[in-house]
C-alpha cells in the first residue's frame, strides 16, 4: 500500500508518469470516466480549503467513483476529542483512499501508520502540501514543455508557505534549475531546506528582499500569500502582509514568456489587473489540480484506464 505524505515519497520517474497520465486525461477524458467505479474517496479536512478538497472530490467523481467526508473538524467527532489516529482507522473501513488536511505538521504521517487504505497529505500545517506540488509541476510542464532548465522565483511567505517547501523539494531533483527566494527577513525559507536540499546538492540559489531586482531573470514567478493563520502575533502579520504586491507596473520588468503561478487563495499579493495578463497562469493552475489528482488517485488505487 502506497501513501503520499511528502513529495519525496514519489520518485522523479513516478512524477513524470503522473504528468503523462494527466496529459492523457486532458486529451481523452472519456477514457477515464469509469476507472474508479465502485471506489470511495474520503476527504477529512480539519482545516479550511476550497481548491484541494473540491478538486479531490471532483477528481473522484470524474473517475466514476464516490466521495464522503467532512470539511471542518467541528462537524466530526474530533470536536468530542477523538484522535486523528482513531478517526482515520475508522474511516478506512468506509473508504478506499483518504485525502486529509490537518493544521498539525506530521498528522497525515501519523494517520498513515494506522490506516487500512492509502492516505494522501492534503496539507499539514506549515510543513508540506505534496498534491499542490504535483499541480504546480503539471502547470510548469504545460507552460514550458519541460521541468528542466529554468529560473524560478518564490515570493512572499517562504517560511510558513507549505506549498513552497514541497515544490522546492520536488524541483531539486530536476536539472538546470535556479532558485530565487524573494521574502522579508522574517519570512525566509527555512534553513533545513537551504542546507539539506539546496546546499547539500550544490543547487544554485539566491535570497533577496527585492521583487523588482529579481523579476528580469525569472521564467516562473511563484507568488504566495502571507499565511495569517500561522502567525502567533497579529501585529507581525499586519506589518508583513502587503510586503509584495504584484501589479502591471512590476510586470513591465518581466520576461514576455514569464509564467505567474500562485497556489491560491490570494489576498492582496496580486492585483486584479494582472489577471488579464496572458502571463497570469494561476487559474489554469487551479484547474490542473483536479487533473493531476485524478492521476494520483488512480496510481494509489493501482488502477489504469
Ligand atoms: N492551494 C490550496 O491549497 O488551496 P485551498 O486552501 O483552497 O485548498
Amino acid at each position: 500500500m502506497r501513501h503520499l505524505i511528502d513529495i519525496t515519497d514519489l520518485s522523479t520517474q513516478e512524477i513524470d508518469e503522473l504528468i503523462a497520465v494527466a496529459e492523457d486525461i486532458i486529451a481523452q477524458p472519456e477514457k477515464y470516466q469509469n476507472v474508479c467505479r465502485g471506489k470511495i474517496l474520503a476527504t477529512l479536512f480539519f482545516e479550511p480549503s476550497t481548491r484541494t478538497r473540491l478538486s479531490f472530490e471532483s477528481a473522484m467523481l470524474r473517475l466514476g467513483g464516490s466521495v464522503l467526508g467532512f470539511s471542518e473538524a467541528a462537524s466530526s467527532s474530533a470536536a468530542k476529542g477523538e484522535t486523528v489516529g482513531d478517526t482515520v482507522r475508522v474511516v478506512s473501513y468506509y473508504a478506499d483512499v483518504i485525502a486529509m488536511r490537518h493544521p498539525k505538521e506530521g498528522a497525515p504521517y501519523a494517520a498513515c501508520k494506522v490506516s487500512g487504505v492509502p492516505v494522501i497529505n492534503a496539507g499539514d500545517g506549515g510543513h508540506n502540501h505534496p498534491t499542490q506540488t504535483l499541480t504546480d509541476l503539471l502547470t510548469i510542464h504545460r507552460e514550458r514543455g519541460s521541468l528542466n532548465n529554468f529560473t524560478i522565483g518564490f515570493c512572499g511567505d517562504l517560511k510558513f508557505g507549505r506549498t513552497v517547501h514541497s515544490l522546492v523539494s520536488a524541483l531539486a531533483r530536476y536539472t538546470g534549475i535556479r532558485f530565487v527566494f524573494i521574502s522579508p527577513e522574517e519570512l525566509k525559507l527555512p534553513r533545513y531546506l537551504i542546507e539539506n536540499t539546496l546546499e547539500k546538492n550544490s543547487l544554485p540559489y539566491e535570497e533577496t528582499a527585492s521583487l523588482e531586482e529579481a523579476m528580469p531573470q525569472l521564467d516562473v514567478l511563484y507568488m504566495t500569500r502571507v499565511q495569517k493563520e500561522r502567525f502567533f502575533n497579529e501585529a507581525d502579520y499586519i506589518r508583513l502582509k502587503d510586503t509584495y504586491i504584484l501589479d502591471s507596473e512590476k510586470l513591465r520588468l518581466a520576461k514576455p514568456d514569464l509564467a505567474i503561478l500562485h497556489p491560491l487563495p490570494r489576498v492582496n499579493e496580486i492585483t486584479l489587473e494582472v489577471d488579464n495578463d496572458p502571463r497570469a497562469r494561476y487559474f489554469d493552475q487551479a484547474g490542473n489540480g483536479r487533473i493531476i489528482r485524478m492521476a494520483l488517485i488512480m496510481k494509489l488505487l493501482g488502477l489504469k484506464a
Side-chain angles (χ1 to χ4, degrees), residues 14-15 19 61 78 115-116 150 157 211 215 226 254 257 290 292 303:
E14 286 177 313
I15 290 174
I19 289 173
L61 294 170
S115 178
F150 60 90
D157 184 350
L211 176 57
M215 189 73 94
V226 176
D257 61 348
R290 193 256 302 169
I292 200 74
L303 298 170

Side-chain angles (χ1 to χ4, degrees), residues 15 23 35 38 43-44 61 66 75-76 81 83 134 136 166 185 191 204 213 228 242 263 274 292 294 296-297 303:
I15 290 174
E23 290 291 354
V35 174
T43 51
L44 311 185
L61 294 170
S66 305
S75 66
S76 78
T83 64
L134 292 174
D136 301 338
S166 292
E185 187 64 29
R191 284 307 300 172
E213 278 178 30
K228 182 180 183 183
D242 292 330
V274 174
I292 200 74
M294 288 173 73
L296 178 66
I297 289 168
L303 298 170

